[in-house]
Amino acid sequence: MVFLMETKVESKRMERIRRRSGFVNGIDVGAEGSRGGLCLAWKEEFRVSLKTFSKNHVDVQVEDSNGQGDWRFTGFYGSPYVKDQHESWRLLQVLGQEQQCPWLVSRDFNEILYSSEKRGGQMREERRMIAFREALEDCKLMDLGFQGTWFTWERGNLPETNIRERLDRGWLMKNGCSASLKERSFSPSHQHGLWGYAYEKFEAWWTLEESFEEELKKAWESLTGMISEKLGGLQTYLSRWASLIRGGRERSKKELIKELGILLEGEKTDDTLGKIIETRINLNLEIDKEEMY
């Protein structure tokens, strides 16, 4: 297990705290005045080599214990100050120029991608979100997804003062391959290493399909081997199932649109109005799934 945290204490004190927490190995960047420092810590089974560091990042090379090749991890802390954010994205872009091995970037970026990732408070300026997205695109990083709570930062206990934002996340680039933010299919080789579970592609619209739970159960019970092998097989099974679903979705939507047009042009009886409502509900459901995808 590896973790990165921001800290307000000096490096020597942080080292004592880290060791008492069971993390013998670590890299501590001490706080400077009001600016926080960083602490990257890992368990003994990892062999980690420091590449570069600053008050906003710790960049290391990790030797894969399974002999599947080295990979790179960067713990990143974006500036919380608007006037300094361009420097954070410039740093990220500079780090992204090295593309020799799989690269994982994670932690607190202090910025959101879209307005939907914020609740409460003032609306985020569009230019700030665009700058963040462009930096990620320049580095060919793709979102790893997440487990747990959607919002990772919160302030204010009352409904009228509560603000929540999605600031912490993980991004991945594999061997300099072109991977836009829309491509979500890469599974890193360190499935049981850094984060303790495999990152696999999972589409939100799958859960809206009535057959999803049954297919998931059937697939899992039919698979054998280690957990990592079963997860890999499950991903393959669900991807094939999703392809079949997608193939029929466009046909279903066209049929519903055609049917709705016929109903709207016809005589408006009680029976027809009921069918119009039912058709619209089904069509909206298909559109919702498409938007999620």
Side-chain angles (χ1 to χ4, degrees), residues 84-287:
D84 296 330
Q85 278 192 329
H86 67 284
E87 295 182 4
S88 294
W89 309 148
R90 188 183 305 156
L91 170 62
L92 185 62
Q93 289 166 324
V94 170
L95 292 168
Q97 291 176 2
E98 181 183 339
Q99 302 181 3
Q100 297 178 351
C101 61
W103 182 35
L104 177 63
V105 188
S106 181
R107 196 53 179 99
D108 186 359
F109 291 84
N110 268 312
E111 188 52 271
I112 59 176
L113 287 171
Y114 304 99
S115 57
S116 59
E117 297 180 345
K118 177 181 172 68
R119 290 289 184 275
Q122 296 181 347
M123 292 186 62
R124 183 73 96 255
E125 295 181 57
E126 184 65 24
R127 62 180 181 85
R128 291 175 54 184
M129 296 183 289
I130 291 175
F132 183 30
R133 296 198 297 264
E134 288 179 346
L136 295 168
E137 288 283 4
D138 288 344
C139 294
K140 299 180 176 63
L141 291 167
M142 60 181 179
D143 194 343
L144 284 173
F146 71 101
Q147 286 187 345
T149 306
W150 169 251
F151 297 106
T152 63
W153 177 87
E154 184 174 3
R155 183 178 66 189
N157 297 322
L158 300 176
E160 58 270 21
T161 61
N162 183 258
I163 301 174
R164 291 172 290 166
E165 296 182 352
R166 179 165 173 76
L167 304 179
D168 300 75
R169 60 211 313 158
W171 304 92
L172 181 72
M173 180 187 70
K174 180 184 178 184
N175 290 338
C177 296
S178 176
S180 72
L181 295 178
K182 295 181 180 179
E183 295 171 316
R184 311 281 289 270
S185 60
F186 176 70
S187 173
S189 61
H190 48 284
Q191 293 185 27
H192 298 284
L194 184 63
W195 306 109
Y197 58 89
Y199 288 111
E200 295 288 1
K201 177 180 176 180
F202 187 95
E203 300 290 354
W205 65 265
W206 291 0
T207 60
L208 294 179
E209 295 296 331
E210 293 182 2
S211 61
F212 172 70
E213 187 173 344
E214 181 182 348
E215 292 293 331
L216 181 67
K217 183 179 179 181
K218 182 170 66 175
W220 187 256
E221 291 177 347
S222 67
L223 295 166
T224 59
M226 302 287 288
I227 292 295
S228 58
E229 295 171 333
K230 293 187 69 173
L231 285 173
L234 181 63
Q235 173 65 21
T236 301
Y237 184 97
L238 290 178
S239 295
R240 291 173 180 170
W241 166 80
S243 296
L244 294 175
I245 296 294
R246 282 199 303 269
R249 177 176 301 131
E250 191 61 33
R251 292 192 300 272
S252 176
K253 192 173 72 170
K254 288 180 179 179
E255 290 174 0
L256 287 169
I257 292 174
K258 182 179 179 180
E259 181 181 351
L260 182 61
I262 294 173
L263 291 170
L264 290 173
E265 291 176 359
E267 184 180 353
K268 301 298 187 297
T269 64
D270 290 344
D271 184 52
T272 302
L273 290 173
K275 289 180 179 179
I276 289 174
I277 293 174
E278 182 181 358
T279 304
R280 278 177 170 165
I281 291 174
N282 292 330
L283 181 58
N284 286 335
L285 183 60
E286 291 301 320
I287 292 173

Side-chain angles (χ1 to χ4, degrees), residues 39-91:
C39 173
L40 176 68
W42 63 92
K43 295 291 187 178
E44 294 182 43
E45 58 265 24
F46 289 100
R47 178 172 289 182
V48 180
S49 303
L50 176 64
K51 295 170 64 67
T52 62
F53 71 92
S54 70
K55 65 180 182 296
N56 292 102
H57 86 289
V58 179
D59 189 28
V60 298
Q61 193 85 3
V62 182
E63 183 177 322
D64 195 303
S65 59
N66 296 323
Q68 298 184 20
D70 294 352
W71 54 282
R72 179 183 172 205
F73 173 72
T74 301
F76 194 85
Y77 180 72
S79 175
Y81 306 106
V82 178
K83 63 182 181 66
D84 296 330
Q85 278 192 329
H86 67 284
E87 295 182 4
S88 294
W89 309 148
R90 188 183 305 156
L91 170 62

Side-chain angles (χ1 to χ4, degrees), residues 10-26:
E10 60 183 14
S11 58
K12 289 185 178 180
R13 183 182 173 193
M14 188 62 237
E15 181 181 359
R16 292 196 297 269
I17 295 173
R18 170 171 52 77
R19 288 181 175 275
R20 283 203 299 268
S21 300
F23 289 87
V24 178
N25 304 301

